[in-house]
Amino acid sequence: MIIGKNIDELYVKAIEKINNYGKLVHSDRGDTKEILHQIFFLENPHLRWLQQRYKPISIAYSLAELIWLLSGSKDAKIINYWNPSLPKFAGTTNEYPGSYGYRLSYTFNIDQLKQVFLSLKNNPMGRQNVLLYWNPLHDLPNDQGKPKSFDIPCNICSIIKIRDNMLDWTQIMRSNDIYLGFPYDVALFTNLQEIVSGWLNVRSGTYCHFSDSLHFYTNKKKFIKQVSMIENNDDYFSLSYENTMIHVKKILNIMKKISYEKITKEQLEEFIFYKIDNGVYQNLYYIILAYVAYRYNFFDIEQELINKCTNNTYIRMWDNWKCK
């Protein structure tokens, strides 16, 4: 088990462990160094934003992915806008069949997130609340051992319990790249943990992350960048289920418009004044829009958006990403 109070502690310890004990394993995408059956224990899931990755993570993509998941979308064009490299890993397609949000909302003919929320609301001590992402009809390899598509989920399930008036979250992964995937997976699912905690009016407890295959690709030479650490995160997701979904729908509609159309500077300026009516989601929205301004070279609008954001962690992560 690797234990840390923040994600940076987990990440640095994991890189060292793979370097010391990992075994060489070939994959379709290149050679990897791998350890099996690794458990991570994040004591404070609110400290979810990795800062010591050599190439800083994209805070805008991470927040856009959260909205994309909560909306239940599998529209590839939307999420590809915030991560243009995604088709290299998930395939060139109009829809991502392995989308976690779509799996949670539609694949099994049940809204799993809503069902778990209602279940825990009425039976807080229940042990049967599992969110399932793996679909064997789509995800199991064919008879020749070949994948049926590029987009096979790395996450298998989430197991959720309330104990001592705190919501604990266990994330099970079949495969986990410590450099490319781990930072985004932890950010995504600890955000989701905090959101569900808010629906239930409890605090987030601990976050346990199980990687059956934890690895990095051997062509990566640098993993860690020493930076001064910020050990806080100013925003907490604490809205009701209903209000959360209202804000998610509003933001996703704007994300869809941006990803499908060429946006003028005037349109982007109009989007700035679109009120979300919640400070936490407003900050998230500003960072998502700042990426749009950055891509269009509207640097004055980008700076205006960053100045409007009141989450210092988001600002720090944005500045790190821009200086990559």
Side-chain angles (χ1 to χ4, degrees), residues 80-94:
N80 286 349
Y81 185 91
W82 278 266
N83 186 355
S85 298
L86 204 55
K88 291 193 299 185
F89 303 97
T92 303
T93 178
N94 293 327

Side-chain angles (χ1 to χ4, degrees), residues 230-265:
I230 291 181
E231 295 237 334
N232 69 315
N233 181 5
D234 298 328
D235 289 337
Y236 283 84
F237 292 103
S238 58
L239 289 180
S240 68
Y241 172 83
E242 292 78 13
N243 284 335
T244 297
M245 292 309 173
I246 288 171
H247 294 316
V248 165
K249 185 176 180 180
K250 286 182 179 179
I251 296 172
L252 186 83
N253 286 339
I254 291 175
M255 288 171 58
K256 185 172 183 178
K257 184 177 182 64
I258 289 168
S259 59
Y260 273 82
E261 302 175 15
K262 183 174 176 60
I263 302 299
T264 66
K265 190 172 186 179

